[in-house]
Amino acid sequence: MLACLAIFCQIGFVQAQDRVLDISEPAEMETVGRVLDIYLDPDHTKTIEDMREQVRVQFTPIATKVADVGYTNAMVWLRLNVKNTASDNSDWRLYFNENFKQIFHIYVVSEDGTVEHVLAQERDSPFSTRPVAYPEIVAPMVLNKGESATVYVRYWTEGSTYLPLEIQSAAMFSETATRSAAKQSIFYGMMMILILAAFLASFVIWHPIFPAYIAYSGATLLFLMHVDGVAFQYLWPGFPNFNSYASVVTGGFYGVFGAIYARIFLNTKKHHPIIDKFLVGTVIVLLTMMVSGMVVDPSLIKRYMILVVLFSLGLFTLASILAARQRFKQVRFYLVAWLGATVSAFLMMLRHWFGIEISQEFQHDSMRTVMIFDAVMMGLAIVDRYSQVRQDRQNALHASLGQAQRNLDMSNRLRKLEARYDLALETNIKHKEHIENTVHDIRQPLHALRLAVLGIMNDKSPDAGNGYADISESFNYLEQLVAEQLHDSASAGVDTGISEMQLGDVLGSIHEMFLPDALEKGLSFDYVPTSLTTAIQPLTVMRIISNLVSNAIKYTPSGKLLLGVRRFGDALRIEVHDTGTGLSAEEFKLACQRGVRLEAGASPQEEGKGHGLDIVASLAKRNGYKVDLLRRSTNGTSIGLTVPVSR
């Protein structure tokens, strides 16, 4: 039985060895496949010499139309016996419709045993080592009329072992190369036009959809340039190791930017949050696969990348279908585009996963056609979307115009009512501030006056009556203040009665008014008499200086106060000095705002709402005076009121 089996194997081996391809004319891949033998070398140890020893190595006919054993780590050997029966051609081309294999060698063994190594490609071989500068693998074979030869092909790949082979004459291959270059130029040119149009549109109408479309179209273009072999020929000819992995990078970016474009165009985060999470997950998975392929077996990444990209395309299509159910008019072009891309990816999956024989040229042409169609549809989708958005805005504008006109009269009436309300509110606030100012200005002088009156009433000495004259000016000030402030709130704070008088009369009255208050707190209050005379508003000056003296008493825990006047250029400056905690320029500016009360230096029992310096600043500004924080070398605060000198 073993003998019979050996005889049977030997017969099959001889039949395989005796099969010869007559090349009287160019042979297509299916014709070549009928006489093509295959051998797998799992250990990568066999050499061309081993292949020629027919007893040690037994080739078998391929079981498919084109050499393809799926994904394998074995070294693949192909053998083809040829004989040139053409009468007018000896220059042939071994044309492999494939752009790249990690290891690729072609040997032509003539009848006399001479071995010609016509192609030698290792992992680190740049594009320049190819004997024919063409994006796909091509090797020359010179075979005179009537001569026979055996062609051996040795290759290993991290991806698919699919390897179609045609034999063409040199003239026919030149026509094929010209036709292929023209077809690729048209495709690349159209893609570049679409990308350029989107780039220019992004300057006119800035929106993230344009960069997303540019990235997606650019990734599509780069992926197909890699599939065609043009990328290795022109973009990175000196980096074969990168070219070996470029299908993962370009294919991965195609899926990544497609997902980003889908999220932005369909606004899935708002309309389809679940789909949006899947799109984000797809981006993460693709990026993870692209990175992990650098440290794990790239063949697994390449194989499963096809499934992930197909899944992502299906997800894009599903998202567009769901969007079309709600807003078909906005996503119609987008939906059609992704349906085409899904068909192209499905064809690739059928070949790589299920072994269905699909012509490489047909697959690539379908990919180019679909990608152009896809890119055009995506561009139309953007144009259509913005056209609809603009139309919707115009419709909304026309619809709202009538409503706006109807609302105009009501708006004007409402505006007038609001203006009247604001005027009433402002009047009320001014009146309230006026009353607060009056109460503030009366409180402290009244307290000081009360102390003085009680002192006189309790004084039983014969000279007690003289005290009535001392506080007469205080009564006059308060009576005038109350009368004028409560008489007409609209003119609050403006003393229209300007009179020529001695400043000593005004300042002396203030000193007598606040002296009991200072003494009650244990403070020394000195006044430097003056005989200077000028035209002033007496009540206004008394209000300002009274507030300054009141504040000085309030914020001086111990020490003394000083009130006086001195010439200051062409004016007179009334000065109030104390030995209190002092004020910085920033604190003084802050304290001049209404309602701001500085707590530093004031006892908790001190009354006040922070109106004093605000009243001082307002009165001085309205009456043409100037209030300044004076610089001093010692602790305490010095404030001056500058009034003009009458001429």
Side-chain angles (χ1 to χ4, degrees):
M1 181 175 179
L2 293 175
C4 292
L5 181 60
I7 294 173
F8 177 78
C9 294
Q10 185 67 26
I11 292 174
F13 170 73
V14 172
Q15 289 176 346
Q17 176 67 22
D18 291 342
R19 295 187 305 160
V20 178
L21 175 65
D22 291 332
I23 49 175
S24 58
E25 59 184 11
E28 297 180 352
M29 61 182 68
E30 292 186 4
T31 302
V32 175
R34 297 190 187 101
V35 293
L36 194 62
D37 301 323
I38 191 169
Y39 173 80
L40 298 182
D41 176 18
D43 300 326
H44 295 211
T45 58
K46 303 300 182 183
T47 64
I48 182 62
E49 287 74 18
D50 296 326
M51 295 299 108
R52 297 177 61 191
E53 295 183 13
Q54 301 177 6
V55 177
R56 296 180 57 187
V57 177
Q58 296 186 4
F59 282 84
T60 58
I62 63 174
T64 54
K65 295 180 180 180
V66 176
D68 186 7
V69 292
Y71 288 83
T72 177
N73 194 43
M75 186 71 70
V76 181
W77 284 86
L78 301 178
R79 184 182 65 188
L80 174 66
N81 296 314
V82 296
K83 182 177 181 179
N84 183 14
T85 57
S87 58
D88 57 348
N89 183 52
S90 60
D91 192 5
W92 301 94
R93 296 291 182 268
L94 300 173
Y95 176 33
F96 298 87
N97 206 343
E98 187 70 26
N99 62 17
F100 182 80
K101 299 294 182 185
Q102 279 71 21
I103 297 177
F104 204 100
H105 292 265
I106 302 176
Y107 307 90
V108 178
V109 182
S110 61
E111 291 178 311
D112 60 3
T114 303
V115 179
E116 183 180 3
H117 199 173
V118 297
L119 177 67
Q121 295 281 285
E122 293 292 332
R123 287 175 176 267
D124 57 351
S125 298
F127 184 86
S128 59
T129 59
R130 293 189 178 186
V132 178
Y134 188 69
E136 295 178 307
I137 301 173
V138 181
M141 180 180 68
V142 177
L143 199 63
N144 295 324
K145 180 182 178 181
E147 287 185 346
S148 298
T150 301
V151 178
Y152 291 93
V153 179
R154 172 177 173 263
Y155 71 97
W156 174 83
T157 176
E158 293 174 344
S160 172
T161 56
Y162 181 86
L163 187 65
L165 170 59
E166 295 181 15
I167 298 180
Q168 298 183 359
S169 64
M172 180 180 179
F173 172 73
S174 179
E175 295 177 0
T176 300
T178 301
R179 185 171 60 252
S180 177
K183 185 164 49 178
Q184 292 171 355
S185 298
I186 293 174
F187 170 74
Y188 300 154
M190 292 184 66
M191 291 295 295
M192 290 301 298
I193 290 174
L194 293 172
I195 293 174
L196 180 61
F199 182 76
L200 295 176
S202 65
F203 284 95
V204 179
I205 307 174
W206 169 249
H207 192 279
I209 193 67
F210 291 108
Y213 175 78
I214 293 171
Y216 164 74
S217 299
T220 301
L221 176 61
L222 193 61
F223 174 73
L224 289 176
M225 290 181 69
H226 169 67
V227 170
D228 292 336
V230 175
F232 186 37
Q233 182 179 9
Y234 295 108
L235 299 184
W236 49 76
F239 300 94
N241 289 326
F242 174 75
N243 190 70
S244 174
Y245 195 65
S247 59
V248 174
V249 176
T250 56
F253 278 130
Y254 171 76
V256 168
F257 291 125
I260 295 174
Y261 179 76
R263 293 187 70 225
I264 296 175
F265 187 89
L266 299 177
N267 197 4
T268 54
K269 188 175 182 180
K270 174 182 178 182
H271 297 290
H272 313 288
I274 297 178
I275 293 293
D276 186 74
K277 290 183 174 62
F278 275 103
L279 290 173
V280 173
T282 300
V283 172
I284 295 174
V285 170
L286 287 171
L287 292 176
T288 302
M289 293 180 69
M290 292 164 61
V291 174
S292 61
M294 300 178 183
V295 294
V296 300
D297 185 2
S299 62
L300 293 176
I301 301 297
K302 291 180 180 180
R303 188 175 187 186
Y304 286 100
M305 177 68 77
I306 297 174
L307 287 181
V308 176
V309 171
L310 179 62
F311 172 79
S312 63
L313 291 176
L315 188 61
F316 305 157
T317 306
L318 175 62
S320 61
I321 292 174
L322 293 177
R325 294 180 60 187
Q326 301 174 354
R327 49 191 197 281
F328 175 77
K329 191 176 180 180
Q330 297 180 4
V331 301
R332 50 189 174 179
F333 290 107
Y334 181 89
L335 173 62
V336 175
W338 280 127
L339 288 174
T342 304
V343 170
S344 178
F346 185 72
L347 292 177
M348 183 181 295
M349 186 194 69
L350 290 178
R351 198 196 83 179
H352 286 276
W353 273 86
F354 298 100
I356 297 178
E357 295 188 14
I358 301 175
S359 167
Q360 183 95 330
E361 183 177 3
F362 173 78
Q363 182 179 342
H364 287 185
D365 287 344
S366 67
M367 290 177 63
R368 295 186 188 98
T369 303
V370 165
M371 293 306 176
I372 291 178
F373 175 78
D374 177 58
V376 171
M377 289 297 103
M378 295 297 184
L380 288 176
I382 295 176
V383 175
D384 189 48
R385 164 68 68 83
Y386 277 97
S387 175
Q388 292 176 29
V389 169
R390 187 171 62 179
Q391 185 63 40
D392 292 342
R393 289 177 179 173
Q394 290 178 350
N395 294 338
L397 181 61
H398 288 302
S400 63
L401 182 59
Q403 182 67 26
Q405 291 175 343
R406 288 190 296 270
N407 293 339
L408 183 59
D409 292 338
M410 291 187 291
S411 297
N412 290 334
R413 295 174 65 183
L414 179 61
R415 191 178 301 109
K416 291 179 181 179
L417 286 175
E418 289 176 342
R420 292 177 181 177
Y421 170 78
D422 292 340
L423 179 60
L425 183 63
E426 182 180 357
T427 303
N428 180 65
I429 292 174
K430 287 183 177 179
H431 179 71
K432 181 180 178 181
E433 290 181 355
H434 167 66
I435 296 300
E436 288 178 349
N437 292 347
T438 301
V439 172
H440 181 277
D441 286 351
I442 293 175
R443 180 190 296 115
Q444 196 64 29
L446 186 60
H447 176 71
L449 186 60
R450 185 183 299 114
L451 292 177
V453 171
L454 291 176
I456 293 175
M457 293 175 64
N458 294 328
D459 189 356
K460 305 301 182 180
S461 64
D463 298 329
N466 297 332
Y468 289 105
D470 296 334
I471 63 174
S472 176
E473 290 296 328
S474 297
F475 273 112
N476 291 338
Y477 164 69
L478 288 178
E479 288 170 351
Q480 183 182 3
L481 175 64
V482 173
E484 293 195 11
Q485 292 285 23
L486 299 182
H487 178 264
D488 186 5
S489 61
S491 60
V494 180
D495 184 0
T496 56
I498 301 177
S499 59
E500 187 83 15
M501 63 181 304
Q502 289 187 353
L503 289 177
D505 295 338
V506 177
L507 301 183
S509 176
I510 295 173
H511 176 259
E512 292 296 333
M513 185 188 308
F514 286 96
L515 181 60
D517 201 12
L519 295 176
E520 182 187 33
K521 195 173 180 180
L523 302 176
S524 172
F525 186 10
D526 296 333
Y527 162 60
V528 180
T530 179
S531 60
L532 294 175
T533 302
T534 187
I536 60 172
Q537 296 97 333
L539 181 60
T540 299
V541 172
M542 289 191 72
R543 291 186 64 189
I544 293 174
I545 301 303
S546 295
N547 275 289
L548 294 178
V549 172
S550 174
N551 277 354
I553 295 173
K554 183 184 301 182
Y555 290 97
T556 303
S558 62
K560 63 181 180 179
L561 282 71
L562 177 63
L563 175 63
V565 62
R566 68 175 68 186
R567 289 191 176 275
F568 184 71
D570 294 335
L572 299 178
R573 188 167 68 190
I574 304 171
E575 299 179 357
V576 178
H577 304 270
D578 64 56
T579 59
T581 55
L583 281 176
S584 64
E586 292 77 10
E587 290 174 334
F588 177 74
K589 184 178 180 181
L590 181 63
C592 287
Q593 300 177 14
R594 189 167 188 83
V596 176
R597 184 172 186 264
L598 301 179
E599 302 298 336
S603 63
Q605 292 77 19
E606 296 284 359
E607 296 182 358
K609 296 184 178 180
H611 297 331
L613 284 180
D614 171 62
I615 294 173
V616 168
S618 299
L619 288 174
K621 181 178 180 181
R622 285 197 290 250
N623 293 279
Y625 301 153
K626 185 178 180 182
V627 178
D628 295 297
L629 179 67
L630 307 179
R631 298 179 62 182
R632 56 186 295 169
S633 58
T634 59
N635 293 333
T637 303
S638 296
I639 299 177
L641 173 68
T642 303
V643 297
V645 176
S646 58
R647 300 185 181 276

